[in-house]
Structures are given as C-alpha cells and as structure tokens.
Amino acid sequence: MKYLVTGGAGYVGSVVAQHLLEAGHEVTVLDNLSTGFSEGVPAGAAFVEGDIRDAAKWLDSSYEAVLHFAAFSQVGESVVKPEKYWDNNVGGTMALLAAMREAGVRKLVFSSTAATYGEPEQVPIVETAPTQPTNPYGATKLAVDHMITGEAAAHGLGAVSLRYFNVAGAYGAQGERHDPESHLIPLVLQVAQGRREAISVFGDDYPTPDGTCVRDYIHVADLADAHLLALTAAQPGEHLICNLGNGEGFSVREVIETVRQVTGHPIPEVVAPRRGGDPAVLVASAAAAREKLGWNPTRADLAGIVADAWEFAQTISAAREQ
Ligand SMILES: NC(=O)c1ccc[n+]([C@@H]2O[C@H](COP(=O)([O-])OP(=O)(O)OC[C@H]3O[C@@H](n4cnc5c(N)ncnc54)[C@H](O)[C@@H]3O)[C@@H](O)[C@H]2O)c1
C-alpha cells in the first residue's frame, strides 16, 4: 500500500514512517521542515518538502491513506501566538481534508492529544471525558477532531484520531530532537549530557505522592504500532477516537530518578513555581485502543523508554560534534 505521512520529518511521524516501510509499504513524507529535520526522514521514504496547505499538488488516488502528524505543538508558544496554531493546525488540516476529498483518498489517521481534555475530572481519562482544553494548542487539536467527525459523517471518510499522552523513547535512527525542547525526558537527558546545568521541577506541592506532576509515558514504537492498527480499523463514514497511553503514571521526580539510574549522572534539580494549566495527574485509559484497535503496548517499562532516548541523544550529539 502507499501512504502519505505529513510531518514525517518530525519525531513521531518519522518513527511511524519507518514502521510503515518495515511492514513493506510505500511511503511519501510531506513536511515543510518548520520544526522537522530532513535527516529525520527514514531511508526508503520519498520526501516532498512542502506544506500541507498545498497537499493537493501531490495527493492522488494512488494513496491508500494519509497519516497526519504535521502540526505545531509547543503549548507555551500557542498561548502567546494562538493565531499561528489556528492557522497551521486547523487551516492546514482543512486544506489537507479538501485535497483528500478531491483526490479520493478515503482514510485518515490523525495525531490528536491528551491536551484536548484539559484538567481531567477523573483519571484514568476515558474518551468520553469532557474536552476542555486549557491552551490554544489543545483547542486547535480538538477543533480538528470535530472537523474530522464532520468529514466522516458528510463525505464517508474513514478516520481514527489517536490522542497521545506523553510520547518518549526512540526507534533506531529516529528520535526526539525538538528545538526548543519542552518534553521532560529529553530535557533531563540534556542535563546528563552537560548541555543544561539542572532540571527545573515546576511545582512540588501537587496532590501527588511526591508532590510533582504525574504523566503517562508511552514508547514511540508502541505508538507506531497503534497507527498501523488504526489503518486497518478505520471504517468509511466513521471517526474513531482512542487514547494512547500505558494507563500508568510516573511523577517528574520518578522520571528524573530513572534518568539518574540509566545515565549514572547525578542530575541536579531546581524547584520552580507551578506552570499555569499543568494538571496534577494525566493518565490515559487505554481500554478503547486495546479493544477497538487490538493494540497491546509492549514497551511500557520507564527505564527502557529512557534508555532508548538516551542512546538516541548520544548518537545525535556525536553526529553534531563531527
Ligand atoms: N510528541 C508528543 O509527545 C505528542 C503528544 C501529543 C500529540 N502530539 C502530536 O503528534 C504530532 C507529531 O508530534 P512531534 O512531537 O513528532 O512533532 P514534531 O514537531 O517533531 O513534528 C511535526 C512535523 O510537522 C512538520 N510540519 C508542521 N507544520 C507543517 C505544515 N504546515 N506542512 C508540512 N509540515 C509541517 C514539521 O516540520 C515537523 O517535521 C503533532 O501533531 C503533535 O501535535 C505529539
């Protein structure tokens, strides 16, 4: 089968593109390199440097489906530049859906997010929980989910939105290198590499066992497996929404401690004030993904996730120094 992977030069898209290639599929990556890296595009994928808003130029009926990762995803930036997020994430997806309609491409897998829920009333979070995003990033992703529901109902698209919790780890040559980085594990690894003096812990007075925020970390390769299953699960006229997480939470301090164990570095921490809009606990119910996709994550061990991310971070640093 032939697939278009938007955002395939970024972290998650490149890992999923790699999995599609390994499963014997043909892959075209469409990415404007706004936050991605051309060297992140897996060997064996065709690469088109371009914007999703121009997807009609490249999309045709030879594509079985689109896997749509392209978006801006920095929560803090979305608060100060919301228009940038509405334009790219919502405007871009609107153009992409129009191009798919025009070309007769009938299947979509979309990267949604736990940020669509906002502050949860109950954990683990199920897909029927209220969606009250606390920042424009989450709001744009929720708007796209609604847009896709309408597209499926009106035009017969078969779609799956996957609401990722905290994605981490690496897969072979593909890993996380956001710039600026805002995710905890790569930030702590930067301390281990001497690129950052200490890790900031934003709030240690939350109602959690050690006072720091608890998050659900999921290995990017488990996430990729779910995308391949979603391609099979997508049914014409239906929009399926599934959370992707392990259903288990780790606190910021537990993550830091795990990085100490994996890297052997002491990792100094500095306690900073809480950040606005940071819920105390975000943990997914993965029941729907298990039941509806047949998904079975196998790489839930936090030390293993950190070890893979650490190996990738060292490889990238060595490449930078050459
Ligand atoms: N990483 C996570 O923990 C996480 C969690 C929840 C949801 N998500 C979602 O998953 C997706 C991938 O996240 P990521 O961490 O890989 O981000 P990333 O920034 O590494 O990748 C996004 C890619 O999309 C490209 N892109 C952005 N706008 C584009 C446009 N208009 N046209 C073409 N390409 C464009 C960027 O250049 C980049 O390569 C995003 O949609 C994000 O919102 C990620």
Side-chain angles (χ1 to χ4, degrees):
M1 302 268 194
K2 190 174 169 189
Y3 295 106
L4 183 76
V5 177
T6 76
Y11 171 40
V12 182
S14 66
V15 173
V16 175
Q18 177 67 36
H19 275 68
L20 287 167
L21 291 166
E22 286 172 12
H25 299 298
E26 204 179 322
V27 173
T28 302
V29 165
L30 170 62
D31 196 302
N32 65 5
L33 301 181
S34 51
T35 61
F37 301 86
S38 55
E39 59 271 30
V41 177
F47 176 45
V48 174
E49 185 175 342
D51 198 287
I52 50 170
R53 282 165 281 217
D54 299 321
K57 284 188 197 163
W58 301 287
L59 210 50
D60 61 46
S61 60
S62 66
Y63 287 94
E64 168 71 10
V66 173
L67 296 102
H68 178 32
F69 302 89
F72 293 142
S73 58
Q74 297 277 347
V75 170
E77 185 188 52
S78 80
V79 174
V80 290
K81 292 183 186 165
E83 66 286 1
K84 178 175 171 181
Y85 281 69
W86 287 99
D87 177 35
N88 196 41
N89 297 0
V90 178
T93 305
M94 214 153 106
L96 179 66
L97 289 177
M100 290 177 67
R101 221 181 293 130
E102 187 68 18
V105 181
R106 316 295 296 150
K107 232 184 235 191
L108 174 75
V109 179
F110 171 61
S111 305
S112 188
T113 168
T116 53
Y117 296 110
E119 183 86 41
E121 288 168 9
Q122 280 186 331
V123 282
I125 301 173
V126 291
E127 290 78 358
T128 49
T131 41
Q132 295 161 339
T134 52
N135 53 66
Y137 164 64
T140 63
K141 287 282 174 172
L142 181 61
V144 172
D145 277 342
H146 287 315
M147 204 193 297
I148 293 171
T149 303
E151 187 75 17
H155 303 299
L157 183 73
V160 181
S161 286
L162 299 173
R163 289 189 171 156
Y164 314 162
F165 281 60
N166 286 54
V167 191
Y171 183 73
Q174 271 76 40
E176 196 165 10
R177 47 180 137 179
H178 298 117
D179 184 17
E181 187 55 75
S182 62
H183 293 152
L184 180 63
I185 292 175
L187 283 173
V188 187
L189 291 174
Q190 287 181 6
V191 182
Q193 288 182 311
R195 295 171 57 201
R196 188 176 283 274
E197 276 188 14
I199 188 73
S200 298
V201 175
F202 295 104
D204 65 352
D205 57 352
Y206 284 94
T208 59
D210 67 15
T212 65
C213 287
V214 169
R215 295 290 180 267
D216 186 336
Y217 293 88
I218 173 171
H219 196 294
V220 68
D222 279 339
L223 199 80
D225 290 342
H227 286 74
L228 271 70
L229 292 166
L231 287 168
T232 310
Q235 294 300 325
E238 288 179 18
H239 180 207
L240 176 63
I241 298 180
C242 290
N243 292 338
L244 292 183
N246 282 310
E248 193 186 354
F250 293 97
S251 73
V252 170
R253 287 225 161 98
E254 283 174 315
V255 170
I256 296 171
E257 189 49 39
T258 305
V259 175
R260 289 189 183 114
Q261 284 162 15
V262 168
T263 64
H265 190 282
I267 316 280
E269 1 168 323
V270 178
V271 177
R274 289 184 182 196
R275 289 181 301 198
D278 252 354
V281 179
L282 281 179
V283 172
S285 162
R290 286 176 189 274
E291 187 197 322
K292 294 181 179 162
L293 304 179
W295 184 56
N296 184 25
T298 56
R299 306 162 183 96
D301 170 54
L302 184 62
I305 292 175
V306 169
D308 286 351
W310 178 227
E311 194 180 326
F312 178 76
Q314 287 174 298
T315 309
I316 289 297
S317 288
R320 265 196 213 106
E321 279 159 21
Q322 275 171 13

